[in-house]
Amino acid sequence: MQYSILERLGFDQREITIYRALLSLGPSPIRSIADKAGINRGTTYDCLKGLLQKGIVSYLPKGKRRLFSPRNPEVLLQLAEQRQHEIENTIQQLKTSIIPELNHLKPDFSAANVQFYEGDDGIEFVLRDILSSVSKSNERQYSVFSSKPIRSHLYRPFPNYTAQRIQKQIGVRVIAIGDGGEDAELSERKWIKTEGHVDAAYIAIYPPKCAIISLASNNYPTAVLIDSKEVSAAQKIIFDTLWGVL
């Protein structure tokens, strides 16, 4: 029997054991249930109280004793359906009222709108955030400034990033700074020719966010993620303007 399924409904191992014992015994006093389940009487009594509250056990008085009876196992399905209904209502309440009300408490911009990440794990988080955020937007496209020195390091922690982007039908426009870079499906690319040294940098604009990835010493990747519609909108104006003249 998959106990984990019943645990998801809020039952612990002892309650499950006692319920199974009751099913095999039928209406029984606490002593008989405890002996069958192999659990001491005090714990059995506490568990029976919990099962009574959950509605899967009932009892009848018989003299000075109580005889406990299990309800039909189909009641478990009713409990699951009730919990599903409650979860669906909770999700709806979160979407329509609670989250909007909590967001209303936040200032327009604060330190919480700026997040710092480092290392391959941090870069992978930012790349996944780009895919997740853009896949939920109506435009399903983002814009990127990318310099040549960053390219060999950018997708190291997430080698199938481009494949996932294409799978999600997300488009990207890239202004490449320096030589190199390859076109891929659902992507457009323009180049800015440069002379001399170019620093490693990658700027992804996906309103209301903007991510800036660069390399510190020893090619250690770092990232800044800014969640601000004003900042991302300004960056997008710069990108669109430059895109139009290239």
Side-chain angles (χ1 to χ4, degrees):
M1 181 176 179
Q2 296 185 11
Y3 290 118
S4 61
I5 300 297
L6 295 181
E7 288 173 354
R8 293 175 194 171
L9 291 176
F11 298 96
D12 63 31
Q13 284 282 354
R14 293 174 301 183
E15 289 176 331
I16 296 168
T17 300
I18 289 170
Y19 179 64
R20 286 170 59 89
L22 262 177
L23 285 172
S24 63
L25 288 172
S28 304
I30 291 178
R31 181 185 294 276
S32 299
I33 299 168
D35 290 343
K36 179 69 175 179
I39 298 174
N40 68 64
R41 289 182 62 186
T43 301
T44 297
Y45 178 71
D46 290 338
C47 288
L48 285 170
K49 287 197 297 183
L51 294 172
L52 283 167
Q53 292 175 350
K54 290 179 173 72
I56 71 166
V57 165
S58 60
Y59 74 90
L60 290 173
K62 185 175 182 181
K64 296 182 179 180
R65 299 188 303 171
R66 291 180 177 180
L67 295 183
F68 292 88
S69 299
R71 292 187 60 191
N72 194 294
E74 275 68 25
V75 73
L76 297 172
L77 180 59
Q78 296 175 16
L79 289 175
E81 291 172 342
Q82 179 182 351
R83 178 157 294 194
Q84 180 184 27
H85 179 69
E86 291 171 352
I87 291 174
E88 289 173 350
N89 283 339
T90 299
I91 292 172
Q92 188 62 26
Q93 290 281 341
L94 285 168
K95 287 180 178 179
T96 59
S97 61
I98 296 174
I99 290 177
E101 288 175 8
L102 293 175
N103 280 329
H104 184 70
L105 297 175
K106 298 192 307 182
D108 291 337
F109 192 82
S110 69
N113 295 81
V114 181
Q115 300 171 345
F116 297 89
Y117 301 92
E118 60 180 32
D120 283 351
D121 289 344
I123 302 309
E124 181 179 358
F125 176 88
V126 172
L127 293 175
R128 291 190 181 278
D129 185 68
I130 293 171
L131 292 182
S132 175
S133 299
V134 178
S135 66
K136 298 173 185 175
S137 70
N138 294 328
E139 191 172 349
R140 297 188 70 82
Q141 178 178 264
Y142 65 103
S143 305
V144 167
F145 290 102
S146 179
S147 67
K148 183 178 179 179
I150 196 79
R151 292 171 194 146
S152 60
H153 304 278
L154 185 64
Y155 301 120
R156 182 174 59 207
F158 195 172
N160 62 338
Y161 173 84
T162 299
Q164 288 201 23
R165 176 183 64 76
I166 294 170
Q167 183 181 28
K168 293 176 180 291
Q169 292 292 297
I170 293 173
V172 60
R173 296 184 301 165
V174 180
I175 293 180
I177 304 171
D179 296 332
E182 298 179 355
D183 284 327
E185 188 177 343
L186 295 176
S187 72
E188 300 177 76
R189 185 179 298 269
K190 294 185 178 183
W191 283 264
I192 295 177
K193 300 298 182 180
T194 60
E195 296 181 4
H197 175 73
V198 176
D199 290 325
Y202 177 93
I203 303 174
I205 306 158
Y206 55 113
K209 299 179 183 180
C210 180
I212 304 169
I213 300 173
S214 60
L215 297 178
S217 59
N218 298 319
N219 292 326
Y220 186 70
T222 61
V224 178
L225 180 59
I226 304 172
D227 188 351
S228 167
K229 62 181 180 180
E230 294 83 6
V231 172
S232 61
Q235 289 292 322
K236 191 171 187 306
I237 289 171
I238 295 171
F239 183 95
D240 291 345
T241 302
L242 187 54
W243 182 268
V245 300
L246 289 175

